[in-house]
Amino acid sequence: MSVPATQHPSAVQMRDVPEAVVRGDISAVLEKFPEDVVWYSPAADPAKRVYRGRDGLARFFGQLQERSNGTMRPEVEEVLGSDDHVVAFLHITAERDDDRLDVLVAHFATVGPGGFVRNWFLPSDTSAWNRFFG
């Protein structure tokens, strides 16, 4: 009997990440990533394109929460996983004053010892993403 891709342990672990973000539990988020995590973001500012280590990843999530006044909500659309890779499709919304963000994000990650080692975070509309979070 084959196991659906969405039930692979990597997929199950990735599903926990946006749920922890919604709860504001960044410690639980960071537990899913190794100390040497690398996170690639589509930021217009070159200084905000790559975050290294758990401290860097905590800064990334902190900036998203700060710029959205705590309103950023990732909702899992689908997660596909294997022993080596995982892809999560997230519907992300956020509001700030009269500004609203509503995008689909593909989060690609390589799986290694300690969690999701290399991560690429790709919104469907990078212009809207950078306008809102830039």
Side-chain angles (χ1 to χ4, degrees):
M1 179 176 163
S2 67
V3 176
T6 56
Q7 296 304 308
H8 189 280
S10 296
V12 172
Q13 289 294 311
M14 182 57 79
R15 282 183 186 278
D16 292 344
V17 173
E19 291 171 8
V21 168
V22 168
R23 290 191 316 268
D25 189 353
I26 298 305
S27 325
V29 170
L30 297 178
E31 289 174 6
K32 305 296 182 186
F33 299 88
E35 290 291 337
D36 62 346
V37 60
V38 179
W39 186 279
Y40 300 96
S41 169
D45 179 351
K48 295 181 179 179
R49 287 185 187 155
V50 180
Y51 294 84
R52 297 182 186 280
R54 286 183 178 163
D55 288 344
L57 191 53
R59 267 192 324 278
F60 173 78
F61 283 112
Q63 290 168 356
L64 297 183
Q65 288 300 338
E66 180 182 322
R67 294 287 297 152
S68 71
N69 295 326
T71 66
M72 185 191 74
R73 294 290 178 262
E75 294 179 24
V76 174
E77 295 283 329
E78 185 66 65
V79 181
L80 307 170
S82 72
D83 290 343
D84 300 317
H85 302 94
V86 66
V87 179
F89 296 98
L90 307 167
H91 178 219
I92 296 181
T93 59
E95 295 180 20
R96 181 183 62 244
D97 301 323
D98 292 333
D99 200 1
R100 179 166 168 72
L101 178 72
D102 189 337
V103 295
L104 180 66
V105 170
H107 174 184
F108 302 88
T110 58
V111 180
F116 305 113
V117 182
R118 299 287 178 270
N119 299 265
W120 293 265
F121 199 71
L122 306 168
S124 58
D125 186 341
T126 54
S127 295
W129 182 270
N130 286 324
R131 178 190 44 75
F132 192 90
F133 287 114

